[in-house]
Amino acid sequence: MLSREELISSFLCGSPVAPTPSIEKTVLSLFSYLGIFVESRLSLGGSRPQRPQPAHILPPALHHPWTGLISPGTAAAAGGEMFSSSPPPSGPLEKLFQYIDLHQDEFVQTLKEWVAIESNSVQPVLHFRQELSRMMAVATDKLQCLGAAVDSVDLGSQQLPNGQSLPLPPIILAELGNDPKKPTVCFYGHLDVQPAQQSDGWLTDPHTLTEVGGKLYGRGATDNKGPVLAWINAVSTFRALEQDLPVNIKFILEGMEEAGSVALEELVTKEKHRFFSSVDYIVISDNLWISRTKPALTYGTRGNSYFMVEVKCRDQDFHSGTFGGILNEPMAELIALLDSLVDSTGHILIPGIYDQVAPLTEEEKKTYETIDLDLEEYQNSSQVEKFLYGTKEEILMHLWRYPSLSIHGIEGAFDKPGTKTVIPGRVVGKFSIRLVPHMNVSVVEKQVKQHLEAVFSKRNSSNQMSVSLALGLQPWITNINDNQYLAAKAAIKTGD
């Protein structure tokens, strides 16, 4: 897990639509600011920025912010004067910006082709795994056309709990430039998506990029194919205009992020002394804005503990006319277990769950007051009639600094239209807890299991109950005054 002093930056993402031209421009600006930062240090007789220890580079948590919107207009903290006194040359940047504006149709067409690939990593189906491999191959070709050295790392197969074996898509490691005088920026992105159908509420086919009201809608347009392409488009702009990149670039692109980044951590650990040994900065363009108009820099994410709780009487279902009234019905017991997890205000009922949460300081409390959030606009854009909390500060704190518990679904339940009178013989409930500093996955797992076992034991049931942790990701938070964040704030301001 990253410490506060080590840096991973998440930015340039937001709203359920494709990134705008300003995102590519912001990437160009970021390259320039990071390059100027190193040049300024060297010209003053200083050293290169200290690199984070590669052993601590870990895959990102799921993309839900813990704390952190930084306004691009906020005055930079220590060291920030460097960016105002040494802005990127306007001439070269202006040419790059013009090129991006002129080639938007080309960029959109490529995004359309990428969105059309149903690279669904969540559903364990061979067809989708084949689509994932095709998506990674398309991205490999795109990077190789830029002149990047690309290593497509074969991860073998994934063994599923039911005994099924499915191929894993490769992870892409790509490099552009190895000038020791330049900083090295590593970009992380993922090319897989969550399942999507029009019946889920999409107004258009989710795998056909569609323009509505000047915005582009499609599965993956924002999360995360669009931002990946924004970085590639920015690099290709330098190449097309035969301009020297002010930084060395590395890419790490995966295809299993939505399913928990299967095998990513192992690969990162394996590559810490090779691929990551020269990395100065890591940037993740896979996070959220709370506004559709104001850019955001994310400096932390909530972690995630995803649980399965099974209640089983037998493998076959029962008929309620024959067995109703003489069984401890698994569905009723599962509902009772799920109901014991959280109350109507969103407060988690598991004993001890809040003991690890970092205490709220006065300094942190003040930051929520200064964050620009239009509650009415946020509510309207979310299409929610009413939130649990009525003030900006309460909403932000419950989004970022407090844990939350969500119930996601039930396997084995009758969920089709009609009136089938079935008693499921086995059901599995799915729920997750978003973790915040200083919560720990192992501690939360123990608390959840103890709580559900205690609730179930009081029912004196003859059924079997089991709880398992399907996914565990730690939260992290980092330093907003690090040089990368100062560069990113300045880049967003310039890019806009």
Short mmCIF file of all heavy atoms in Angstrom, two decimals, residues 263-324:
data_model
loop_
_atom_site.label_atom_id
_atom_site.label_comp_id
_atom_site.label_asym_id
_atom_site.label_seq_id
_atom_site.Cartn_x
_atom_site.Cartn_y
_atom_site.Cartn_z
N ALA A 263 -4.16 -10.96 -11.20
CA ALA A 263 -2.76 -11.19 -11.58
C ALA A 263 -1.94 -9.92 -11.73
O ALA A 263 -0.74 -9.99 -11.99
CB ALA A 263 -2.66 -12.01 -12.87
N LEU A 264 -2.55 -8.74 -11.54
CA LEU A 264 -1.79 -7.50 -11.73
C LEU A 264 -0.74 -7.30 -10.64
O LEU A 264 0.42 -6.95 -10.92
CB LEU A 264 -2.74 -6.30 -11.77
CG LEU A 264 -2.06 -4.94 -11.92
CD1 LEU A 264 -1.34 -4.83 -13.26
CD2 LEU A 264 -3.07 -3.81 -11.79
N GLU A 265 -1.12 -7.49 -9.39
CA GLU A 265 -0.18 -7.25 -8.30
C GLU A 265 1.05 -8.14 -8.43
O GLU A 265 2.18 -7.70 -8.20
CB GLU A 265 -0.86 -7.48 -6.96
CG GLU A 265 0.04 -7.14 -5.78
CD GLU A 265 -0.68 -7.17 -4.45
OE1 GLU A 265 -1.92 -7.25 -4.45
OE2 GLU A 265 0.00 -7.12 -3.41
N GLU A 266 0.84 -9.40 -8.79
CA GLU A 266 1.96 -10.31 -8.96
C GLU A 266 2.92 -9.84 -10.05
O GLU A 266 4.15 -9.90 -9.89
CB GLU A 266 1.46 -11.72 -9.29
CG GLU A 266 0.71 -12.40 -8.16
CD GLU A 266 -0.76 -12.02 -8.11
OE1 GLU A 266 -1.16 -11.08 -8.83
OE2 GLU A 266 -1.50 -12.65 -7.34
N LEU A 267 2.34 -9.32 -11.16
CA LEU A 267 3.20 -8.84 -12.25
C LEU A 267 3.97 -7.60 -11.84
O LEU A 267 5.16 -7.46 -12.15
CB LEU A 267 2.34 -8.55 -13.49
CG LEU A 267 3.12 -7.99 -14.69
CD1 LEU A 267 4.09 -9.03 -15.23
CD2 LEU A 267 2.18 -7.51 -15.79
N VAL A 268 3.30 -6.67 -11.14
CA VAL A 268 3.97 -5.45 -10.71
C VAL A 268 5.14 -5.78 -9.78
O VAL A 268 6.25 -5.23 -9.91
CB VAL A 268 2.98 -4.50 -10.01
CG1 VAL A 268 3.70 -3.34 -9.34
CG2 VAL A 268 1.96 -3.97 -11.01
N THR A 269 4.92 -6.71 -8.86
CA THR A 269 5.99 -7.12 -7.94
C THR A 269 7.15 -7.75 -8.72
O THR A 269 8.32 -7.47 -8.45
CB THR A 269 5.44 -8.13 -6.91
OG1 THR A 269 4.38 -7.52 -6.18
CG2 THR A 269 6.53 -8.56 -5.95
N LYS A 270 6.81 -8.57 -9.70
CA LYS A 270 7.84 -9.23 -10.51
C LYS A 270 8.67 -8.23 -11.30
O LYS A 270 9.88 -8.42 -11.51
CB LYS A 270 7.17 -10.23 -11.45
CG LYS A 270 8.13 -10.99 -12.35
CD LYS A 270 7.35 -11.94 -13.27
CE LYS A 270 8.29 -12.67 -14.23
NZ LYS A 270 7.53 -13.56 -15.14
N GLU A 271 8.02 -7.14 -11.75
CA GLU A 271 8.69 -6.17 -12.63
C GLU A 271 9.29 -4.98 -11.88
O GLU A 271 9.77 -4.03 -12.51
CB GLU A 271 7.69 -5.64 -13.66
CG GLU A 271 7.24 -6.67 -14.68
CD GLU A 271 8.32 -7.01 -15.68
OE1 GLU A 271 9.25 -6.18 -15.88
OE2 GLU A 271 8.26 -8.11 -16.27
N LYS A 272 9.29 -5.00 -10.55
CA LYS A 272 9.71 -3.82 -9.80
C LYS A 272 11.16 -3.44 -10.06
O LYS A 272 11.52 -2.26 -10.01
CB LYS A 272 9.46 -4.02 -8.31
CG LYS A 272 10.31 -5.10 -7.66
CD LYS A 272 9.94 -5.26 -6.19
CE LYS A 272 10.79 -6.33 -5.51
NZ LYS A 272 10.42 -6.51 -4.10
N HIS A 273 12.03 -4.39 -10.34
CA HIS A 273 13.44 -4.07 -10.58
C HIS A 273 13.77 -3.91 -12.06
O HIS A 273 14.91 -3.62 -12.41
CB HIS A 273 14.33 -5.16 -9.97
CG HIS A 273 14.25 -5.23 -8.48
ND1 HIS A 273 14.48 -4.12 -7.68
CD2 HIS A 273 13.95 -6.25 -7.65
CE1 HIS A 273 14.33 -4.47 -6.41
NE2 HIS A 273 14.00 -5.75 -6.37
N ARG A 274 12.78 -4.11 -12.93
CA ARG A 274 13.02 -3.96 -14.36
C ARG A 274 12.16 -2.84 -14.92
O ARG A 274 12.57 -1.69 -15.00
CB ARG A 274 12.75 -5.29 -15.10
CG ARG A 274 13.19 -5.25 -16.59
CD ARG A 274 12.73 -6.50 -17.33
NE ARG A 274 11.30 -6.50 -17.57
CZ ARG A 274 10.73 -5.92 -18.64
NH1 ARG A 274 11.47 -5.28 -19.54
NH2 ARG A 274 9.43 -5.97 -18.80
N PHE A 275 10.90 -3.14 -15.23
CA PHE A 275 10.04 -2.17 -15.89
C PHE A 275 9.83 -0.92 -15.05
O PHE A 275 9.84 0.20 -15.55
CB PHE A 275 8.69 -2.82 -16.23
CG PHE A 275 7.75 -1.94 -17.00
CD1 PHE A 275 7.89 -1.78 -18.37
CD2 PHE A 275 6.71 -1.28 -16.36
CE1 PHE A 275 7.02 -0.97 -19.09
CE2 PHE A 275 5.83 -0.47 -17.07
CZ PHE A 275 6.00 -0.32 -18.44
N PHE A 276 9.64 -1.08 -13.74
CA PHE A 276 9.34 0.05 -12.87
C PHE A 276 10.58 0.70 -12.26
O PHE A 276 10.46 1.69 -11.54
CB PHE A 276 8.40 -0.38 -11.74
CG PHE A 276 7.02 -0.74 -12.21
CD1 PHE A 276 6.64 -2.07 -12.29
CD2 PHE A 276 6.12 0.23 -12.59
CE1 PHE A 276 5.37 -2.41 -12.73
CE2 PHE A 276 4.86 -0.09 -13.03
CZ PHE A 276 4.48 -1.43 -13.10
N SER A 277 11.77 0.19 -12.54
CA SER A 277 12.97 0.68 -11.87
C SER A 277 13.29 2.13 -12.23
O SER A 277 13.91 2.84 -11.44
CB SER A 277 14.16 -0.22 -12.22
OG SER A 277 14.43 -0.18 -13.62
N SER A 278 12.88 2.60 -13.39
CA SER A 278 13.20 3.96 -13.81
C SER A 278 12.02 4.92 -13.70
O SER A 278 12.10 6.07 -14.14
CB SER A 278 13.68 3.95 -15.28
OG SER A 278 12.66 3.44 -16.13
N VAL A 279 10.91 4.47 -13.10
CA VAL A 279 9.69 5.28 -13.06
C VAL A 279 9.79 6.36 -11.98
O VAL A 279 10.10 6.08 -10.83
CB VAL A 279 8.46 4.39 -12.81
CG1 VAL A 279 7.23 5.24 -12.53
CG2 VAL A 279 8.22 3.48 -14.01
N ASP A 280 9.54 7.61 -12.37
CA ASP A 280 9.48 8.74 -11.43
C ASP A 280 8.06 9.04 -10.98
O ASP A 280 7.83 9.42 -9.83
CB ASP A 280 10.07 10.00 -12.07
CG ASP A 280 11.54 9.84 -12.41
OD1 ASP A 280 12.33 9.66 -11.48
OD2 ASP A 280 11.89 9.87 -13.61
N TYR A 281 7.10 8.92 -11.90
CA TYR A 281 5.72 9.28 -11.61
C TYR A 281 4.78 8.23 -12.20
O TYR A 281 5.02 7.71 -13.29
CB TYR A 281 5.37 10.65 -12.23
CG TYR A 281 6.28 11.76 -11.81
CD1 TYR A 281 7.26 12.25 -12.68
CD2 TYR A 281 6.18 12.34 -10.54
CE1 TYR A 281 8.11 13.28 -12.29
CE2 TYR A 281 7.02 13.36 -10.15
CZ TYR A 281 7.98 13.82 -11.03
OH TYR A 281 8.81 14.85 -10.64
N ILE A 282 3.72 7.96 -11.48
CA ILE A 282 2.66 7.09 -11.98
C ILE A 282 1.37 7.91 -12.02
O ILE A 282 1.03 8.59 -11.07
CB ILE A 282 2.45 5.85 -11.10
CG1 ILE A 282 3.71 4.98 -11.11
CG2 ILE A 282 1.26 5.04 -11.58
CD1 ILE A 282 3.60 3.75 -10.23
N VAL A 283 0.67 7.83 -13.15
CA VAL A 283 -0.59 8.56 -13.30
C VAL A 283 -1.69 7.57 -13.66
O VAL A 283 -1.52 6.72 -14.53
CB VAL A 283 -0.49 9.64 -14.41
CG1 VAL A 283 -1.80 10.40 -14.53
CG2 VAL A 283 0.64 10.60 -14.11
N ILE A 284 -2.81 7.69 -12.97
CA ILE A 284 -3.98 6.85 -13.24
C ILE A 284 -5.12 7.74 -13.72
O ILE A 284 -5.57 8.59 -12.97
CB ILE A 284 -4.42 6.09 -11.98
CG1 ILE A 284 -3.27 5.28 -11.39
CG2 ILE A 284 -5.60 5.17 -12.29
CD1 ILE A 284 -3.58 4.70 -10.03
N SER A 285 -5.54 7.57 -14.93
CA SER A 285 -6.69 8.34 -15.44
C SER A 285 -7.93 7.47 -15.37
O SER A 285 -8.48 7.06 -16.38
CB SER A 285 -6.42 8.79 -16.88
OG SER A 285 -5.35 9.69 -16.92
N ASP A 286 -8.36 7.18 -14.17
CA ASP A 286 -9.49 6.29 -13.99
C ASP A 286 -10.19 6.61 -12.69
O ASP A 286 -10.24 5.79 -11.79
CB ASP A 286 -9.00 4.83 -14.00
CG ASP A 286 -10.15 3.84 -13.91
OD1 ASP A 286 -11.28 4.20 -14.26
OD2 ASP A 286 -9.92 2.69 -13.48
N ASN A 287 -10.73 7.81 -12.59
CA ASN A 287 -11.44 8.20 -11.39
C ASN A 287 -12.59 9.13 -11.72
O ASN A 287 -12.86 9.41 -12.88
CB ASN A 287 -10.48 8.84 -10.38
CG ASN A 287 -10.17 7.89 -9.24
OD1 ASN A 287 -11.02 7.58 -8.43
ND2 ASN A 287 -8.93 7.41 -9.20
N LEU A 288 -13.26 9.59 -10.69
CA LEU A 288 -14.51 10.33 -10.88
C LEU A 288 -14.36 11.81 -10.57
O LEU A 288 -13.52 12.20 -9.77
CB LEU A 288 -15.59 9.75 -9.95
CG LEU A 288 -15.86 8.26 -10.06
CD1 LEU A 288 -16.87 7.86 -9.00
CD2 LEU A 288 -16.35 7.90 -11.44
N TRP A 289 -15.21 12.61 -11.21
CA TRP A 289 -15.43 13.99 -10.79
C TRP A 289 -16.77 14.01 -10.07
O TRP A 289 -17.66 13.23 -10.37
CB TRP A 289 -15.51 14.93 -11.99
CG TRP A 289 -14.28 15.04 -12.83
CD1 TRP A 289 -13.07 14.46 -12.62
CD2 TRP A 289 -14.16 15.79 -14.03
NE1 TRP A 289 -12.20 14.79 -13.61
CE2 TRP A 289 -12.84 15.61 -14.50
CE3 TRP A 289 -15.02 16.60 -14.76
CZ2 TRP A 289 -12.36 16.21 -15.67
CZ3 TRP A 289 -14.56 17.19 -15.92
CH2 TRP A 289 -13.24 17.01 -16.36
N ILE A 290 -16.94 14.95 -9.16
CA ILE A 290 -18.28 15.14 -8.59
C ILE A 290 -19.04 16.22 -9.34
O ILE A 290 -20.21 16.45 -9.08
CB ILE A 290 -18.21 15.48 -7.09
CG1 ILE A 290 -17.46 16.79 -6.86
CG2 ILE A 290 -17.59 14.36 -6.31
CD1 ILE A 290 -17.60 17.31 -5.44
N SER A 291 -18.37 16.86 -10.28
CA SER A 291 -19.01 17.86 -11.12
C SER A 291 -18.81 17.47 -12.57
O SER A 291 -17.80 16.88 -12.93
CB SER A 291 -18.39 19.24 -10.87
OG SER A 291 -18.77 20.16 -11.87
N ARG A 292 -19.77 17.80 -13.40
CA ARG A 292 -19.63 17.50 -14.83
C ARG A 292 -18.79 18.55 -15.55
O ARG A 292 -18.48 18.40 -16.72
CB ARG A 292 -21.02 17.42 -15.49
CG ARG A 292 -21.81 16.19 -15.09
CD ARG A 292 -23.17 16.17 -15.78
NE ARG A 292 -23.91 14.97 -15.46
CZ ARG A 292 -23.88 13.86 -16.17
NH1 ARG A 292 -23.14 13.79 -17.25
NH2 ARG A 292 -24.59 12.81 -15.82
N THR A 293 -18.46 19.63 -14.85
CA THR A 293 -17.78 20.74 -15.52
C THR A 293 -16.40 21.06 -14.94
O THR A 293 -15.55 21.59 -15.65
CB THR A 293 -18.65 22.01 -15.45
OG1 THR A 293 -18.94 22.31 -14.08
CG2 THR A 293 -19.96 21.80 -16.20
N LYS A 294 -16.19 20.77 -13.65
CA LYS A 294 -14.94 21.17 -13.02
C LYS A 294 -14.00 19.98 -12.88
O LYS A 294 -14.35 18.98 -12.27
CB LYS A 294 -15.20 21.78 -11.64
CG LYS A 294 -13.96 22.43 -11.04
CD LYS A 294 -14.33 23.29 -9.85
CE LYS A 294 -13.14 24.08 -9.35
NZ LYS A 294 -13.49 25.00 -8.27
N PRO A 295 -12.78 20.07 -13.42
CA PRO A 295 -11.83 18.96 -13.32
C PRO A 295 -11.46 18.66 -11.87
O PRO A 295 -11.60 19.50 -10.99
CB PRO A 295 -10.61 19.47 -14.10
CG PRO A 295 -11.12 20.56 -14.97
CD PRO A 295 -12.25 21.19 -14.20
N ALA A 296 -10.98 17.45 -11.65
CA ALA A 296 -10.62 17.02 -10.30
C ALA A 296 -9.34 16.21 -10.31
O ALA A 296 -9.06 15.50 -11.28
CB ALA A 296 -11.75 16.19 -9.70
N LEU A 297 -8.57 16.33 -9.25
CA LEU A 297 -7.43 15.46 -9.02
C LEU A 297 -7.74 14.61 -7.80
O LEU A 297 -8.07 15.14 -6.74
CB LEU A 297 -6.16 16.28 -8.75
CG LEU A 297 -5.69 17.21 -9.88
CD1 LEU A 297 -4.45 17.97 -9.43
CD2 LEU A 297 -5.41 16.43 -11.14
N THR A 298 -7.64 13.33 -7.94
CA THR A 298 -7.94 12.42 -6.85
C THR A 298 -6.65 12.01 -6.17
O THR A 298 -5.73 11.55 -6.84
CB THR A 298 -8.67 11.18 -7.38
OG1 THR A 298 -9.86 11.60 -8.04
CG2 THR A 298 -9.03 10.24 -6.26
N TYR A 299 -6.58 12.15 -4.86
CA TYR A 299 -5.34 11.77 -4.17
C TYR A 299 -5.56 10.63 -3.18
O TYR A 299 -4.75 10.38 -2.29
CB TYR A 299 -4.71 12.98 -3.48
CG TYR A 299 -5.51 13.67 -2.41
CD1 TYR A 299 -5.34 13.34 -1.07
CD2 TYR A 299 -6.43 14.67 -2.73
CE1 TYR A 299 -6.06 14.00 -0.08
CE2 TYR A 299 -7.15 15.32 -1.75
CZ TYR A 299 -6.97 14.98 -0.42
OH TYR A 299 -7.68 15.63 0.54
N GLY A 300 -6.66 9.93 -3.32
CA GLY A 300 -6.89 8.74 -2.51
C GLY A 300 -8.09 7.99 -3.03
O GLY A 300 -8.93 8.56 -3.74
N THR A 301 -8.18 6.72 -2.72
CA THR A 301 -9.37 5.96 -3.08
C THR A 301 -9.80 5.09 -1.91
O THR A 301 -8.98 4.64 -1.11
CB THR A 301 -9.15 5.02 -4.29
OG1 THR A 301 -8.23 3.99 -3.93
CG2 THR A 301 -8.66 5.78 -5.50
N ARG A 302 -11.10 4.87 -1.81
CA ARG A 302 -11.59 3.88 -0.87
C ARG A 302 -11.22 2.49 -1.39
O ARG A 302 -11.22 2.24 -2.60
CB ARG A 302 -13.11 3.99 -0.72
CG ARG A 302 -13.54 5.29 -0.05
CD ARG A 302 -14.99 5.25 0.39
NE ARG A 302 -15.94 5.29 -0.71
CZ ARG A 302 -17.26 5.37 -0.54
NH1 ARG A 302 -17.78 5.40 0.67
NH2 ARG A 302 -18.06 5.41 -1.58
N GLY A 303 -10.91 1.59 -0.48
CA GLY A 303 -10.69 0.20 -0.85
C GLY A 303 -12.01 -0.54 -0.92
O GLY A 303 -13.08 0.06 -0.82
N ASN A 304 -11.94 -1.86 -1.07
CA ASN A 304 -13.17 -2.62 -1.21
C ASN A 304 -13.00 -4.03 -0.66
O ASN A 304 -11.99 -4.69 -0.91
CB ASN A 304 -13.57 -2.71 -2.69
CG ASN A 304 -14.97 -3.24 -2.88
OD1 ASN A 304 -15.81 -3.14 -1.99
ND2 ASN A 304 -15.24 -3.81 -4.04
N SER A 305 -13.96 -4.46 0.14
CA SER A 305 -14.06 -5.85 0.58
C SER A 305 -15.39 -6.40 0.07
O SER A 305 -16.45 -5.92 0.48
CB SER A 305 -14.01 -5.96 2.11
OG SER A 305 -12.73 -5.62 2.59
N TYR A 306 -15.32 -7.37 -0.82
CA TYR A 306 -16.53 -7.91 -1.46
C TYR A 306 -16.79 -9.31 -0.90
O TYR A 306 -15.92 -10.18 -0.95
CB TYR A 306 -16.35 -7.98 -2.98
CG TYR A 306 -17.63 -8.12 -3.77
CD1 TYR A 306 -18.09 -7.06 -4.54
CD2 TYR A 306 -18.36 -9.31 -3.76
CE1 TYR A 306 -19.27 -7.19 -5.28
CE2 TYR A 306 -19.53 -9.43 -4.48
CZ TYR A 306 -19.98 -8.37 -5.24
OH TYR A 306 -21.15 -8.49 -5.97
N PHE A 307 -17.99 -9.51 -0.34
CA PHE A 307 -18.31 -10.76 0.36
C PHE A 307 -19.41 -11.55 -0.34
O PHE A 307 -20.30 -10.98 -0.98
CB PHE A 307 -18.75 -10.46 1.79
CG PHE A 307 -17.66 -9.94 2.68
CD1 PHE A 307 -17.45 -8.56 2.81
CD2 PHE A 307 -16.83 -10.81 3.37
CE1 PHE A 307 -16.45 -8.06 3.62
CE2 PHE A 307 -15.82 -10.32 4.18
CZ PHE A 307 -15.62 -8.95 4.31
N MET A 308 -19.34 -12.86 -0.15
CA MET A 308 -20.41 -13.78 -0.54
C MET A 308 -20.88 -14.48 0.73
O MET A 308 -20.06 -15.03 1.48
CB MET A 308 -19.91 -14.84 -1.52
CG MET A 308 -19.21 -14.28 -2.74
SD MET A 308 -20.38 -13.68 -3.97
CE MET A 308 -19.34 -13.67 -5.44
N VAL A 309 -22.19 -14.49 0.98
CA VAL A 309 -22.74 -15.24 2.11
C VAL A 309 -23.75 -16.24 1.57
O VAL A 309 -24.72 -15.87 0.90
CB VAL A 309 -23.37 -14.31 3.18
CG1 VAL A 309 -24.38 -13.34 2.57
CG2 VAL A 309 -24.00 -15.12 4.29
N GLU A 310 -23.49 -17.52 1.82
CA GLU A 310 -24.33 -18.59 1.29
C GLU A 310 -25.16 -19.23 2.39
O GLU A 310 -24.65 -19.50 3.48
CB GLU A 310 -23.46 -19.66 0.63
CG GLU A 310 -24.24 -20.86 0.10
CD GLU A 310 -23.35 -21.97 -0.41
OE1 GLU A 310 -22.95 -22.84 0.40
OE2 GLU A 310 -23.05 -21.96 -1.61
N VAL A 311 -26.43 -19.46 2.10
CA VAL A 311 -27.30 -20.24 2.97
C VAL A 311 -27.83 -21.41 2.14
O VAL A 311 -28.42 -21.21 1.07
CB VAL A 311 -28.47 -19.41 3.53
CG1 VAL A 311 -29.34 -20.28 4.44
CG2 VAL A 311 -27.95 -18.20 4.30
N LYS A 312 -27.64 -22.61 2.65
CA LYS A 312 -27.97 -23.80 1.86
C LYS A 312 -28.75 -24.81 2.68
O LYS A 312 -28.37 -25.15 3.81
CB LYS A 312 -26.68 -24.44 1.34
CG LYS A 312 -26.90 -25.71 0.52
CD LYS A 312 -25.57 -26.28 0.06
CE LYS A 312 -25.75 -27.59 -0.69
NZ LYS A 312 -24.44 -28.16 -1.11
N CYS A 313 -29.85 -25.29 2.09
CA CYS A 313 -30.60 -26.41 2.64
C CYS A 313 -30.26 -27.66 1.84
O CYS A 313 -29.91 -28.69 2.38
CB CYS A 313 -32.10 -26.12 2.60
SG CYS A 313 -33.13 -27.45 3.27
N ARG A 314 -30.39 -27.54 0.53
CA ARG A 314 -29.98 -28.61 -0.39
C ARG A 314 -29.71 -27.97 -1.75
O ARG A 314 -29.98 -26.78 -1.95
CB ARG A 314 -31.05 -29.69 -0.50
CG ARG A 314 -32.31 -29.25 -1.22
CD ARG A 314 -33.30 -30.39 -1.38
NE ARG A 314 -34.40 -30.02 -2.30
CZ ARG A 314 -35.43 -30.80 -2.58
NH1 ARG A 314 -35.53 -32.00 -1.99
NH2 ARG A 314 -36.38 -30.41 -3.42
N ASP A 315 -29.18 -28.73 -2.69
CA ASP A 315 -28.83 -28.17 -4.00
C ASP A 315 -30.06 -27.91 -4.87
O ASP A 315 -30.03 -27.04 -5.73
CB ASP A 315 -27.87 -29.11 -4.74
CG ASP A 315 -26.48 -29.13 -4.12
OD1 ASP A 315 -26.06 -28.07 -3.60
OD2 ASP A 315 -25.83 -30.18 -4.11
N GLN A 316 -31.14 -28.66 -4.70
CA GLN A 316 -32.33 -28.50 -5.52
C GLN A 316 -33.32 -27.54 -4.85
O GLN A 316 -33.36 -27.43 -3.63
CB GLN A 316 -33.04 -29.86 -5.74
CG GLN A 316 -32.25 -30.86 -6.56
CD GLN A 316 -31.19 -31.56 -5.73
OE1 GLN A 316 -31.37 -31.75 -4.53
NE2 GLN A 316 -30.08 -31.93 -6.37
N ASP A 317 -34.12 -26.87 -5.69
CA ASP A 317 -35.16 -25.99 -5.18
C ASP A 317 -36.35 -26.82 -4.66
O ASP A 317 -36.48 -28.01 -4.96
CB ASP A 317 -35.65 -25.04 -6.27
CG ASP A 317 -34.61 -23.99 -6.65
OD1 ASP A 317 -33.65 -23.82 -5.87
OD2 ASP A 317 -34.74 -23.37 -7.72
N PHE A 318 -37.23 -26.16 -3.89
CA PHE A 318 -38.44 -26.79 -3.36
C PHE A 318 -39.67 -26.12 -3.97
O PHE A 318 -39.60 -24.98 -4.43
CB PHE A 318 -38.52 -26.62 -1.84
CG PHE A 318 -37.39 -27.24 -1.06
CD1 PHE A 318 -36.25 -26.50 -0.78
CD2 PHE A 318 -37.48 -28.55 -0.60
CE1 PHE A 318 -35.22 -27.06 -0.04
CE2 PHE A 318 -36.46 -29.11 0.13
CZ PHE A 318 -35.32 -28.37 0.42
N HIS A 319 -40.79 -26.82 -3.90
CA HIS A 319 -42.08 -26.23 -4.28
C HIS A 319 -42.78 -25.78 -3.00
O HIS A 319 -42.89 -26.54 -2.03
CB HIS A 319 -42.94 -27.26 -5.01
CG HIS A 319 -44.16 -26.68 -5.65
ND1 HIS A 319 -45.29 -26.30 -4.92
CD2 HIS A 319 -44.45 -26.39 -6.95
CE1 HIS A 319 -46.20 -25.80 -5.74
NE2 HIS A 319 -45.72 -25.86 -6.98
N SER A 320 -43.27 -24.53 -3.01
CA SER A 320 -43.85 -23.98 -1.78
C SER A 320 -45.15 -24.68 -1.38
O SER A 320 -45.50 -24.72 -0.20
CB SER A 320 -44.09 -22.48 -1.95
OG SER A 320 -45.07 -22.23 -2.94
N GLY A 321 -45.86 -25.26 -2.35
CA GLY A 321 -47.09 -25.97 -2.01
C GLY A 321 -46.82 -27.27 -1.29
O GLY A 321 -47.68 -27.77 -0.56
N THR A 322 -45.65 -27.83 -1.48
CA THR A 322 -45.29 -29.11 -0.86
C THR A 322 -44.47 -28.94 0.40
O THR A 322 -44.61 -29.70 1.37
CB THR A 322 -44.52 -29.99 -1.87
OG1 THR A 322 -45.27 -30.12 -3.07
CG2 THR A 322 -44.23 -31.37 -1.29
N PHE A 323 -43.60 -27.93 0.40
CA PHE A 323 -42.65 -27.76 1.50
C PHE A 323 -42.82 -26.46 2.28
O PHE A 323 -42.18 -26.27 3.31
CB PHE A 323 -41.21 -27.84 0.97
CG PHE A 323 -40.81 -29.22 0.52
CD1 PHE A 323 -40.94 -29.60 -0.81
CD2 PHE A 323 -40.30 -30.14 1.43
CE1 PHE A 323 -40.57 -30.87 -1.23
CE2 PHE A 323 -39.91 -31.41 1.02
CZ PHE A 323 -40.06 -31.78 -0.32
N GLY A 324 -43.64 -25.55 1.80
CA GLY A 324 -43.80 -24.28 2.49
C GLY A 324 -44.38 -24.44 3.88
O GLY A 324 -45.41 -25.09 4.05
#
